[in-house]
Amino acid sequence: MQLGSSHNEDFDFPIEKFEMMLKTNEVLFFDAAEFENIIGHYIDSGRLALAKKALKLALDQHPKSVNLLLMKAELLTFEDKFEKAMELLERLKALEPNNEEIYILIANIYSKQDLHFDAIDVLKEALDFADDLIEIHSIMGMEYLFLEDFENAKDSYIQCLENDENDYTALYNIIYCFDFLDQNEAAIVFLKDFLDRQPYCEVAWHQLGKIYFENKQYEQALEAFDFAIISDDYFIGAYLEKGKVLERLSRYKEAIECYTLTLQIDDPTAFAYLRIGKCFLKLNDPEKALKHYKKALHEDPLLDKVWLALSDYHVKIKDYKKALYYINKAINIDEENVLYWKHFAIINLELDNIKDSAFGFKKSLELGNYELETWITRLDILIDLKHFEDALETLKHAEDFFPHFAELEYRYAGIYFELGELQDSVDHYEKAYFLDPNYSYIMKDLFPKFNLR
């Protein structure tokens, strides 16, 4: 191969020129900045083999370029060759002790090895001379998040925002930290102070509205979302959140208007159609509700909440077979959802599918639905099926969550009676009667043969 320059003028773009060079096997000259762009392009597009090839040629032509050597360290890091990368970076650090990029790459290597405290210490050093303080504070914030040190993470992102009030990523992360620390009031104070300086920041108004919504301060939330929309009347997130607030205030027609606006501003979403459907159902217009649920399905057939809504709709009109069909669809999408299994169990109970209902309640309990009502419904199904051993096992688990409850003690008494354990039956009946004598009526319903005389 021989170095040539005759083709330099034939190409407008360094990448095009580089790839032609690879095809012709002729070595062309590139300045260091061009090589940086070529290597950066291949790294960003995940084509590391080409990035390495470009880097080798680059260092042949510019062996002392610090930026190219930094790219070599970056590629070594991508390949988890941390020791070689660190050796190179330490040599570069000795040459350019105030180059912040070197410190960022060293911190990245520490971070990849879960040495987050070491990464933070390196970044703190860089703060003394770095030009781009925002990037340093941002990376520090992420390291603190890895350590679940939300106070220091919050402080780092606040530093980002103080250096650039348009850094919305930092703003989101600050609110995330406030939320995780359960500091809602402090978050409100922070956002109000920020909005005093940036009164047309739609993101801050949106975040403030969401906190008010969580606090059930619906009028304040509504006002915040209105200001977000004034700041940016194409801000779909604000319209959607405003719609949710209006629903909570039972202002369903206004909520529908909000959701409908989002459909006009941008491509329609399944979420908007679903909410519109729910609003029409509240307005006693089931036909329009069903129409919008079907539109939601058309937009996103994998949105499980739509299948749940369709199931609930058919429960209301007592069409339990269709309700079961739709809840099965929701379960197929998210089989770990407790609510769906509970609905499945209740619908099957209505259809007299006792075994399927028992299975549904069992699944909902396994997935963490520990309400007393769920335990009791499953127990009564097992009693009805005369599966007394399973019922006894279920009772023992229920008692871990609800000790000394008459509802459980009466069932203990009846189950032990059915199993022929009469002394245990007597003991539990006396305990149950002491807890609540009025609840004893259930014995006739559940255990008609029960008699301790």
Side-chain angles (χ1 to χ4, degrees):
M1 290 194 298
Q2 62 187 117
L3 189 67
S5 59
S6 59
H7 294 287
N8 281 17
E9 65 276 7
D10 297 338
F11 299 95
D12 294 328
F13 304 106
I15 292 159
E16 218 177 282
K17 176 178 155 186
F18 177 76
E19 291 184 355
M20 182 56 72
M21 182 191 78
L22 292 178
K23 287 176 185 174
T24 60
N25 212 29
E26 182 181 6
V27 177
L28 303 177
F29 180 81
F30 298 83
D31 64 35
E34 285 178 318
F35 267 125
E36 286 172 40
N37 288 333
I38 292 165
I39 297 161
H41 167 76
Y42 289 132
I43 289 174
D44 290 343
S45 57
R47 299 159 76 185
L48 295 187
L50 280 171
K52 285 163 73 176
K53 191 172 283 190
L55 179 66
K56 185 180 183 307
L57 288 166
L59 287 172
D60 285 345
Q61 293 184 17
H62 308 281
K64 294 183 180 178
S65 167
V66 171
N67 285 347
L68 290 172
L69 289 167
L70 281 171
M71 285 186 146
K72 182 178 180 180
E74 189 176 355
L75 280 169
L76 288 167
T77 305
F78 277 138
E79 296 177 313
D80 292 342
K81 295 176 180 176
F82 301 130
E83 199 172 324
K84 284 185 178 179
M86 195 66 92
E87 284 173 10
L88 176 55
L89 288 167
E90 289 297 341
R91 289 203 306 272
L92 292 173
K93 189 177 169 186
L95 289 171
E96 293 194 4
N98 289 347
N99 187 329
E100 64 199 73
E101 291 300 323
I102 296 169
Y103 290 79
I104 288 169
L105 281 171
I106 291 172
N108 184 36
I109 291 169
Y110 281 135
S111 185
K112 279 178 170 283
Q113 298 175 92
D114 293 329
L115 301 170
H116 302 296
F117 288 111
D118 292 326
I120 289 164
D121 287 341
V122 169
L123 293 165
K124 282 180 178 175
E125 280 184 65
L127 283 175
D128 292 335
F129 54 80
D131 293 324
D132 191 351
L133 292 175
I134 295 172
E135 185 178 9
I136 302 291
H137 282 299
S138 179
I139 299 168
M140 281 178 69
M142 190 54 66
E143 293 302 315
Y144 282 123
L145 285 179
F146 284 133
L147 293 167
E148 297 187 358
D149 182 349
F150 295 97
E151 279 293 352
N152 276 316
K154 182 179 67 179
D155 290 343
S156 293
Y157 288 120
I158 286 171
Q159 290 293 323
C160 293
L161 205 60
E162 285 180 357
N163 283 282
D164 178 8
E165 291 195 324
N166 293 316
D167 186 350
Y168 293 156
T169 300
L171 182 57
Y172 281 122
N173 284 328
I174 292 163
I175 301 307
Y176 171 76
C177 292
F178 274 123
D179 183 48
F180 201 94
L181 293 164
D182 199 20
Q183 296 176 347
N184 277 356
E185 293 307 315
I188 289 170
V189 170
F190 173 84
L191 284 167
K192 282 184 171 179
D193 181 56
F194 179 77
L195 284 163
D196 283 342
R197 303 191 303 275
Q198 293 281 335
Y200 292 100
C201 177
E202 70 279 7
V203 173
W205 283 117
H206 182 244
Q207 292 298 305
L208 183 61
K210 286 176 74 173
I211 295 169
Y212 280 135
F213 182 79
E214 289 298 318
N215 289 353
K216 298 183 178 172
Q217 296 170 269
Y218 298 127
E219 294 297 340
Q220 291 96 321
L222 205 56
E223 187 179 66
F225 293 132
D226 277 334
F227 277 118
I229 291 164
I230 289 166
S231 303
D232 177 2
D233 56 4
Y234 286 91
F235 190 0
I236 285 177
Y239 286 108
L240 291 173
E241 295 292 344
K242 182 181 175 182
K244 284 163 64 178
V245 178
L246 290 165
E247 280 190 69
R248 290 293 173 91
L249 294 170
S250 302
R251 292 159 61 178
Y252 300 114
K253 287 182 180 177
E254 292 171 76
I256 289 169
E257 286 172 16
C258 261
Y259 295 133
T260 304
L261 273 168
T262 70
L263 304 175
Q264 295 165 358
I265 293 170
D266 204 348
D267 293 334
T269 62
F271 178 81
Y273 281 130
L274 173 61
R275 297 317 313 173
I276 292 169
K278 284 183 174 287
C279 288
F280 275 122
L281 206 57
K282 292 286 186 183
L283 292 167
N284 294 315
D285 194 338
E287 197 174 312
K288 283 185 180 172
L290 194 59
K291 179 183 167 186
H292 283 86
Y293 290 157
K294 287 180 177 176
K295 283 185 177 181
L297 273 186
H298 176 74
E299 292 300 327
D300 185 1
L302 292 179
L303 184 60
D304 43 307
K305 287 184 174 66
V306 182
W307 294 110
L308 174 65
L310 280 162
S311 180
D312 285 347
Y313 170 85
H314 285 92
V315 165
K316 281 186 175 72
I317 62 173
K318 300 191 185 305
D319 186 347
Y320 296 112
K321 284 188 178 178
K322 276 194 177 176
L324 182 60
Y325 169 79
Y326 289 125
I327 202 64
N328 275 322
K329 288 279 191 182
I331 288 169
N332 287 338
I333 295 166
D334 182 5
E335 61 184 24
E336 300 296 307
N337 191 303
V338 173
L339 180 65
Y340 299 166
W341 282 110
K342 194 170 178 183
H343 279 244
F344 172 88
I346 292 165
I347 292 164
N348 273 298
L349 200 55
E350 293 289 349
L351 289 166
D352 287 330
N353 299 334
I354 304 301
K355 287 186 179 178
D356 286 342
S357 182
F359 178 74
F361 281 117
K362 184 183 178 202
K363 285 291 291 185
S364 67
L365 287 167
E366 286 172 356
L367 291 167
N369 179 227
Y370 298 133
E371 294 172 5
L372 181 61
E373 178 196 351
T374 306
W375 289 106
I376 285 174
T377 309
R378 171 160 165 75
L379 277 166
D380 291 352
I381 290 169
L382 292 171
I383 290 163
D384 187 52
L385 292 168
K386 302 194 183 307
H387 293 176
F388 298 118
E389 294 287 356
D390 289 341
L392 190 60
E393 197 62 34
T394 301
L395 258 176
K396 288 173 181 175
H397 287 307
E399 196 178 27
D400 290 338
F401 298 94
F402 300 98
H404 314 300
F405 270 70
E407 294 95 323
L408 301 181
E409 293 298 333
Y410 280 116
R411 285 167 175 81
Y412 260 128
I415 290 165
Y416 277 125
F417 176 83
E418 296 288 349
L419 292 170
E421 306 283 345
L422 297 184
Q423 189 54 56
D424 284 331
S425 180
V426 169
D427 291 345
H428 281 284
Y429 186 82
E430 287 176 353
K431 186 177 177 183
Y433 198 82
F434 173 77
L435 289 168
D436 186 354
N438 295 322
Y439 196 71
S440 62
Y441 72 89
I442 66 134
M443 299 304 284
K444 286 182 182 177
D445 296 333
L446 291 175
F447 308 101
K449 293 180 183 175
F450 180 77
N451 188 345
L452 293 177
R453 293 194 183 107

